Amino acid sequence: MANDAQCQRKRRGRDGRYGLFRPVCSPTNIARPCLLTRGSWLDGQKAPPANGGPGVKPVPGETFNITYGSSTNYESGVAVKTTVKFGDLSVKDFTLGVVTKETDKSSSEDGIMGLGFLGLNRMRPIQQPTLMMAVQEQLQQPVFTLEFKPDSTGNLEFGIVDHSKHKGTLVEAKVNNISEPYWQVDAITLSSGKAKVTQRMLFDSGSGDTMYADATFVADYWHQVAGNNYYGGYSWIFPCKSKLPDMQVSIGSSGSATIPGERFRGRELGPATVFEREGYLNERPRDWNFGIYHAQAPLAGCLPKHLSDKLQTAMVNPHRGPSEQDKFRMFNAQTAELMMDVPTPNVMRFARTHFEDGTFATGNLLIGAEGSRSKVREYLLGPDKAALQELPLLVAATLETLPAELSLKIKDLHDLYCVAYHPDALVAFMALHEVPDPEKPESWRWTFYQTWNDRTAKRGMPRGAEAIREEWVYWAEKLAEPFRSAYLAVGGKGGMYCDRLSEWRTIAWDNHDGRVTLAGDAAHPMTFHRGQGLNNAINDAANLCKELDGYVEGEKGLTEAVRAYEEEMQERGYAAVVSSGENSLMVHDWERLAQSPVFKMGMKPLEKGV
């Protein structure tokens, strides 16, 4: 299904004090969207050799390192003395930085033109004069002008002011570069409708499409837009057909200008298409549930506020919100004694290309997130390398109600979920699934799992509904009360399935220059005994969105964005798969149970490098 047309605006904060207006170029310029910044780059000038040559002399020991936007997007290199030419200007014996290492190999620019003050110079150990400082003696007037054009390349001129390129009267404003070495003016007033603020504003030739504003003013501006929603983090979304109000910018008491609201229209969210196996939302029964532990912050970053505000309504018990005292209770299945409480504060538990028919779809990025038996993974790696690796563990599961008295007994042990471990290589897991009426415990639905090591038990895979029920009862008879009664109460009912647990230890794949990637269970299918699968999938979504934001905003190419996402995800995913698989085997081994990751770490994420 395709998403409805939505538009997005970036709103960045500095300690909660500032927001950001950043109109992003149209999808037709998506390969290098922020063309407005090109006035600050030395386009077309071939970089001199870093090791010197005719007219080029290396500066021993002098280096630079510049970061843009994020710590993963940078350029570094060495310094040389040479003649720099641009337009009609030429600067002899200028200290120029030559890039020797960069993160974005797809960048088409040659370098940065130094229009900042000396305090921003990144040459080390000795700061060098910027180009702005070096060129002043050649100019008719000590000025330069920047002309920014929507969705087009801007112009940079030195030494003159071409009055044909502006309307109205120019106003002078004093630049305050004392406290910080930036082009910034102390008192600029922004207003739109009832929204108004007077603040310091920074002017950046490399971010001509950017305007920092007080966060309250930013919110007041977007609240004027029909259908607006605060997306969370730094973004607002709204219907693309909504009209955007103009903004007035005043410098001092005599100068003002109007920015048309359409200049803030930015980029559309999409077009993106989601291909689902099912024909409608609830075609498959809601027969399992899951917990979100350490991925709560990434989840919040993925959802707009109007959806995150409704999360509790989707929880297994919407009448009971998350609590700091939430815990995962672990019992001895043979004696019903409590073995351990694992803290899970504020846990949230929730219930739920070319195609085989010959049709196809076209796009610039395919994300395979279609589960553990991913066809996209098979396409990327081939059927052998993409195949799941089976484990000697079987699972049987069902979803049922209990008699009121028994339902209350289980609730007395836990009001969300618990697990019981048996010396006979058995694990029994129970979780509240749905609470239609908190006053009628007989209406509550519970999820029941039993997993066992069939290699140790020397019992084969049960085939057919009757054999599965017989296997269920065989293991349920080993449980202490009240687990035994609960499992036997649902053992004779329908809707039960049995399957073998498996995993796939994440390896790198050819992403076809950033055109195809994987996420979630398609990228790192793992066992569930430590609840890490969904939490890692949410981290995938949050990190991929962050990297793609950098691509859309012109900070990096698509290849680099997908590569950065995959490098972090593949390392994290591999470690999570291995740890989860080892944990599942250990919790079915009574001698090793106490050393298992779930006993040692609970539901916490793995530390990097573990």
Side-chain angles (χ1 to χ4, degrees):
M1 57 184 177
N3 65 321
D4 295 332
Q6 296 281 322
C7 289
Q8 181 178 22
R9 297 298 169 279
K10 286 297 178 185
R11 173 187 176 274
R12 292 185 175 175
R14 282 185 179 178
D15 302 325
R17 295 175 295 164
Y18 295 99
L20 171 70
F21 284 93
R22 186 167 194 168
V24 182
C25 302
S26 68
T28 57
N29 293 324
I30 204 70
R32 204 62 182 161
C34 289
L35 296 180
L36 296 177
T37 66
R38 284 204 173 182
S40 63
W41 294 82
L42 288 172
D43 283 334
Q45 176 167 301
K46 186 177 181 180
N51 58 356
V56 181
K57 182 180 179 180
V59 181
E62 194 79 347
T63 61
F64 70 92
N65 190 320
I66 302 175
T67 301
Y68 309 95
S70 70
S71 59
T72 61
N73 193 6
Y74 70 94
E75 294 177 337
S76 60
V78 299
V80 299
K81 291 278 190 181
T82 189
T83 297
V84 174
K85 297 180 180 180
F86 53 102
D88 297 330
L89 297 175
S90 175
V91 181
K92 296 182 180 180
D93 204 29
F94 181 73
T95 304
L96 181 70
V98 179
V99 174
T100 58
K101 184 178 181 181
E102 59 184 331
T103 56
D104 188 357
K105 303 297 183 182
S106 64
S107 173
S108 60
E109 285 83 0
D110 299 312
I112 303 171
M113 181 179 290
L115 300 180
F117 297 101
L118 185 62
L120 293 177
N121 185 274
R122 294 295 185 262
M123 289 284 187
R124 297 293 184 273
I126 302 174
Q127 287 184 311
Q128 303 292 330
T130 66
L131 192 61
M132 180 188 71
M133 300 166 64
V135 79
Q136 288 188 34
E137 294 181 357
Q138 302 182 42
L139 305 179
Q140 298 177 29
Q141 303 177 58
V143 299
F144 65 87
T145 63
L146 291 162
E147 179 188 16
F148 297 113
K149 299 178 180 180
D151 302 334
S152 181
T153 302
N155 294 312
L156 172 63
E157 293 182 302
F158 286 85
I160 63 170
V161 178
D162 186 346
H163 293 285
S164 68
K165 294 182 177 179
H166 70 87
K167 297 179 180 180
T169 304
L170 292 178
V171 176
E172 291 189 1
K174 184 178 180 180
V175 173
N176 177 0
N177 65 332
I178 304 300
S179 57
E180 296 177 297
Y182 299 111
W183 290 93
Q184 55 188 356
V185 176
D186 284 339
I188 290 185
T189 299
L190 307 176
S191 60
S192 179
K194 295 182 179 180
K196 186 174 182 179
V197 66
T198 298
Q199 63 173 59
R200 175 182 295 180
M201 182 168 289
L202 182 147
F203 294 86
D204 183 357
S205 62
S207 303
D209 59 344
T210 301
M211 183 191 305
Y212 282 94
D214 174 83
T216 301
F217 174 80
V218 172
D220 290 343
Y221 175 88
W222 293 115
H223 285 154
Q224 301 176 77
V225 179
N228 79 87
N229 273 301
Y230 177 45
Y231 192 74
Y234 306 142
S235 301
W236 294 79
I237 60 174
F238 56 89
C240 287
K241 294 181 179 180
S242 295
K243 179 179 175 58
L244 302 185
D246 296 343
M247 184 186 301
Q248 287 68 47
V249 181
S250 301
I251 301 176
S253 58
S254 58
S256 64
T258 298
I259 302 176
E262 289 305 302
R263 294 288 179 88
F264 297 123
R265 183 154 296 279
R267 65 180 172 91
E268 292 186 7
L269 286 179
T273 304
V274 178
F275 298 100
E276 288 283 5
R277 182 173 60 186
E278 288 77 30
Y280 55 93
L281 183 61
N282 292 317
E283 183 174 337
R284 280 189 296 170
R286 187 167 166 256
D287 60 356
W288 55 278
N289 58 56
F290 44 79
I292 299 177
Y293 309 102
H294 55 79
Q296 294 177 20
L299 176 65
C302 290
L303 294 176
K305 188 174 186 299
H306 72 286
L307 291 181
S308 62
D309 287 346
K310 297 178 181 179
L311 278 177
Q312 185 168 327
T313 65
M315 293 182 184
V316 294
N317 185 0
H319 312 285
R320 170 209 187 278
S323 168
E324 285 287 343
Q325 279 67 53
D326 285 339
K327 53 195 173 185
F328 183 41
R329 310 209 81 183
M330 298 180 174
F331 293 89
N332 183 319
Q334 192 175 37
T335 65
E337 294 175 335
L338 180 64
M339 300 176 70
M340 180 184 294
D341 278 334
V342 176
T344 56
N346 297 309
V347 62
M348 296 185 288
R349 291 200 65 83
F350 299 93
R352 230 187 109 103
T353 311
H354 280 84
F355 306 101
E356 291 182 354
D357 63 1
T359 61
F360 66 92
T362 301
N364 64 349
L365 174 61
L366 172 65
I367 304 169
E370 74 274 42
S372 61
R373 292 176 171 83
S374 166
K375 290 294 184 182
V376 178
R377 186 176 75 234
E378 185 175 318
Y379 160 76
L380 290 172
L381 291 164
D384 292 336
K385 289 185 177 180
L388 291 168
Q389 293 100 41
E390 293 186 343
L391 298 174
L393 300 173
L394 297 179
V395 56
T398 191
L399 175 67
E400 291 293 347
T401 58
L402 292 171
E405 183 179 357
L406 191 52
S407 193
L408 288 172
K409 286 183 178 180
I410 299 299
K411 181 179 179 295
D412 287 342
L413 296 178
H414 67 101
D415 64 350
L416 276 182
Y417 58 166
C418 73
V419 66
Y421 304 102
H422 196 282
D424 288 350
L426 169 68
V427 176
F429 173 82
M430 291 163 288
L432 190 63
H433 187 82
E434 188 177 16
V435 182
D437 187 339
E439 302 302 322
K440 294 182 178 180
E442 67 275 13
S443 73
W444 305 346
R445 302 180 76 199
W446 299 86
T447 294
F448 295 89
Y449 285 88
Q450 291 189 100
T451 58
W452 61 93
N453 189 318
D454 66 326
R455 184 179 299 167
T456 302
K458 297 181 180 180
R459 299 175 66 86
M461 167 78 78
R463 306 291 182 182
E466 187 61 33
I468 293 174
R469 280 193 289 271
E470 288 178 2
E471 193 72 13
W472 181 274
V473 172
Y474 170 82
W475 292 105
E477 291 282 6
K478 295 177 177 288
L479 301 175
E481 294 293 348
F483 304 117
R484 178 180 178 278
S485 293
Y487 275 79
L488 289 176
V490 301
K493 299 183 180 181
M496 190 175 294
Y497 72 88
C498 185
D499 202 358
R500 180 170 297 281
L501 298 187
S502 57
E503 65 182 19
W504 182 74
R505 298 191 173 190
T506 311
I507 60 175
W509 51 80
D510 177 4
N511 63 29
H512 297 270
D513 293 325
R515 299 293 181 179
V516 187
T517 193
L518 300 172
D521 283 349
H524 39 64
M526 64 191 75
T527 55
F528 53 76
H529 292 97
R530 209 170 72 84
Q532 298 299 296
L534 175 64
N535 289 267
N536 274 276
I538 292 172
N539 275 285
D540 293 349
N543 292 341
L544 181 56
C545 285
K546 182 184 73 172
E547 295 298 338
L548 291 178
D549 274 348
Y551 159 62
V552 171
E553 294 173 17
E555 297 175 356
K556 60 184 67 177
L558 180 60
T559 301
E560 181 202 350
V562 174
R563 181 176 66 243
Y565 156 72
E566 288 181 346
E567 286 177 353
E568 187 278 335
M569 178 270 290
Q570 289 169 356
E571 179 182 358
R572 169 174 49 79
Y574 175 84
V577 172
V578 172
S579 174
S580 293
E582 291 176 348
N583 177 79
S584 292
L585 293 172
M586 293 175 76
V587 297
H588 292 85
D589 183 341
W590 192 254
E591 299 300 323
R592 297 195 297 160
L593 175 63
Q595 301 303 314
S596 64
V598 72
F599 268 67
K600 293 288 189 179
M601 300 173 53
M603 304 304 184
K604 296 178 182 178
L606 292 172
E607 295 182 5
K608 189 176 178 63
V610 175

